[in-house]
């Protein structure tokens, strides 16, 4: 019969090391330096022999500190979310925190449930990429002294830093590039903007900036135009502006993927009709002749979000970031070379 393994206890470590339970607790806590080097060595050897791992959750709750940062992600399948989460996790690790990630799938009901869960875990800080309008729950966190940073998207009536891309600058850079390449008509493709302040800002800025540059413009919202409807909208745009050099600007990575598929379905070669996307995706360099993108500094954005939290949790650990809105980098490829 196979034996059932169990966790070693702090008392067993203390007994094997010839030390007190308090000394072992100090060794695995923040008071290790109070122990003599020889006592530290005995405790380390005993813990290694027994395979002892402290219960960090229990330790944190007992001391009032969980050493956990919570992160709410609107759509974990979005390449932007994956990249940002990586940056947040790396920064948390540097500060000695663990990250708890909750994906809401753009569902406000799941968002509500996940916020309750993160509250139960007593997270010390919260990074929120909102999918709904959770202002009531976020106010509860704030009233309890839990700092919050909003990632990429604003939440009405919640006073917190919003860390992300400079959306106005991104649209301006994109249209400037397309105009410099000689494009005269631009179709802007976006997911439905209603639930995302970022999409709203980009959508609004596109119309303003395109008009300022004298560009012919139109828009395609993917949520309301699926399948053949999207194909028809793109075809109609090209027919209506057949006397002009036409380009398509995609508001995020999901839109870039959808439009690339539309190009393939319609037999449109990249370059004949310009294509540009906000968000750099690994495959954009692999589709001949390559898709021009504006890359977000995702690692820097994630790190800055955590630095904002750390400043609120323990102000001495880091200086408050002076920049929370970042410029993208233009990666020019063949899809916008006429």
């Amino acid at each position: 019969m196979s034996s059932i393994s169990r966790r070693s206890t702090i008392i067993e470590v203390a007994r094997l090391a010839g030390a007190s339970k308090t000394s072992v607790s100090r060794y695995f806590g923040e008071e290790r330096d109070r122990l003599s080097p020889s006592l530290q060595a005995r405790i380390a050897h005993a813990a290694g022999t027994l395979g002892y791992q402290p219960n960090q959750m229990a330790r944190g709750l007992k001391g009032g500190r969980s050493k956990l940062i919570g992160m709410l992600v609107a759509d974990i399948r979005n390449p932007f979310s994956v990249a940002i989460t990586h940056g947040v996790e790396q920064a948390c690790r540097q500060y000695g925190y663990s990250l708890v990630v909750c994906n809401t799938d753009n569902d406000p009901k799941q968002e509500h449930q996940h916020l309750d869960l993160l509250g139960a875990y007593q997270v010390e800080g919260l990074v929120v990429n909102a999918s709904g309008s959770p202002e009531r729950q976020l106010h509860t966190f704030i009233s309890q002294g839990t700092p919050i940073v909003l990632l990429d998207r604003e939440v009405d009536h919640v006073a917190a830093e919003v860390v992300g891309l400079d959306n106005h600058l991104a649209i301006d850079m994109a249209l400037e590039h397309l105009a410099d390449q000689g494009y005269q008509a631009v179709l802007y493709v976006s997911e439905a903007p209603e639930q995302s302040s970022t999409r709203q800002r980009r959508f609004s800025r596109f119309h303003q900036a395109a008009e300022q540059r004298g560009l012919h413009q139109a828009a395609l919202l993917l949520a309301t135009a699926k399948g053949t409807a999207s194909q028809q909208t793109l075809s109609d745009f090209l027919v209506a502006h057949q006397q002009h050099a036409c380009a398509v600007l995609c508001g995020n990575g999901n839109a870039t993927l959808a439009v690339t598929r539309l190009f393939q379905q319609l037999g449109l070669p990249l370059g004949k009709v310009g294509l540009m996307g906000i968000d750099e995706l690994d495959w954009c360099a692999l589709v001949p002749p390559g898709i021009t993108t504006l890359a977000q500094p995702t690692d820097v954005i994630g790190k800055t979000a955590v630095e904002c939290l750390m400043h609120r949790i323990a102000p001495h650990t880091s200086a408050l970031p002076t920049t929370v809105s970042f410029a993208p980098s233009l990666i020019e490829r063949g899809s916008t070379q006429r």
Side-chain angles (χ1 to χ4, degrees):
M1 296 179 60
S2 61
S3 61
I4 299 175
S5 62
R6 65 176 183 82
R7 294 176 63 96
S8 300
T9 67
I10 193 171
I11 294 176
E12 292 171 334
V13 174
R15 186 181 300 123
L16 182 60
S20 67
K21 181 180 174 182
T22 300
S23 295
V24 177
S25 180
R26 285 175 175 169
Y27 177 83
F28 287 104
E30 298 179 356
E31 299 181 310
R32 181 178 297 185
D33 291 342
R34 296 181 61 181
L35 306 176
S36 67
S38 61
L39 182 54
Q40 290 185 40
R42 295 205 313 271
I43 294 173
H45 182 266
T49 300
L50 296 172
Y52 173 76
Q53 291 290 336
N55 187 329
Q56 295 295 349
M57 178 64 73
R59 290 175 60 85
L61 296 179
K62 180 180 178 180
R65 298 196 60 187
S66 66
K67 298 298 285 184
L68 296 176
I69 297 297
M71 182 174 182
L72 210 60
V73 178
D75 182 6
I76 197 66
R77 296 167 299 180
N78 190 314
F80 166 80
S81 298
V82 175
I84 286 290
T85 301
H86 179 261
V88 170
E89 194 277 331
Q90 282 190 315
C92 285
R93 193 187 311 162
Q94 291 176 357
Y95 285 103
Y97 283 76
S98 297
L99 182 67
V100 180
V101 181
C102 295
N103 172 43
T104 68
D105 268 339
N106 284 310
D107 181 350
K109 183 177 180 180
Q110 285 196 42
E111 185 171 67
H112 178 88
Q113 294 172 347
H114 284 320
L115 283 171
D116 283 345
L117 175 66
L118 292 172
Y121 274 114
Q122 298 187 21
V123 295
E124 294 189 43
L126 195 56
V127 179
V128 179
N129 176 228
S131 57
S133 300
E135 55 261 39
R136 182 183 62 80
Q137 285 178 287
L138 296 185
H139 283 151
T140 299
F141 277 95
I142 294 172
S143 68
Q144 295 171 346
T146 305
I148 289 173
V149 170
L150 301 178
L151 187 64
D152 187 53
R153 301 177 178 181
E154 298 175 2
V155 176
D156 291 339
H157 313 300
V158 174
E161 288 99 348
V162 182
V163 182
L165 187 70
D166 186 330
N167 293 297
H168 281 198
L169 177 60
I171 293 295
D172 288 348
M173 287 176 61
L175 291 181
E176 194 69 28
H177 171 71
L178 293 174
D180 287 346
Q181 296 299 311
Y183 292 102
Q184 302 158 312
V186 181
L187 174 68
Y188 184 72
V189 180
S190 171
E191 296 177 288
E194 288 78 15
Q195 290 186 335
S196 169
S197 62
T198 296
R199 295 177 197 164
Q200 293 169 10
R201 287 180 179 275
R202 293 177 188 176
F203 190 77
S204 174
R205 183 58 182 171
F206 169 76
H207 291 298
Q208 296 173 0
E211 184 175 349
Q212 291 171 358
R213 289 169 173 78
L215 298 171
H216 301 277
Q217 57 173 286
L220 166 61
L221 297 181
L222 294 173
T224 56
K226 297 181 179 179
T228 56
S230 296
Q231 291 184 27
Q232 191 62 50
T233 300
L234 176 55
S235 297
D236 290 346
F237 172 78
L238 298 177
V239 170
H241 300 284
Q242 57 186 318
Q243 302 302 318
H244 305 102
C246 296
V248 179
L249 174 59
C250 302
N252 64 12
N254 288 340
T256 304
L257 178 59
V259 171
T260 301
R261 287 172 172 162
L262 286 179
F263 272 51
Q264 293 176 344
Q265 292 164 3
L266 294 172
L268 292 174
L270 291 177
K272 180 178 180 181
V273 176
L275 177 59
M276 183 174 183
I278 297 176
D279 287 344
E280 167 68 359
L281 307 169
D282 290 340
W283 56 267
C284 285
L286 305 178
V287 181
I291 298 174
T292 296
T293 62
L294 288 176
Q296 298 198 48
T298 51
D299 279 347
V300 174
I301 292 174
K303 179 181 178 182
T304 301
V306 175
E307 287 177 347
C308 288
L309 285 183
M310 291 301 114
H311 184 80
R312 304 300 181 202
I313 293 171
H316 65 277
T317 59
S318 64
L320 183 64
T322 57
T323 302
V324 294
S325 185
F326 295 90
S329 300
L330 175 65
I331 302 177
E332 186 175 352
R333 299 189 178 103
S335 68
T336 55
Q337 294 177 2
R338 294 187 59 209

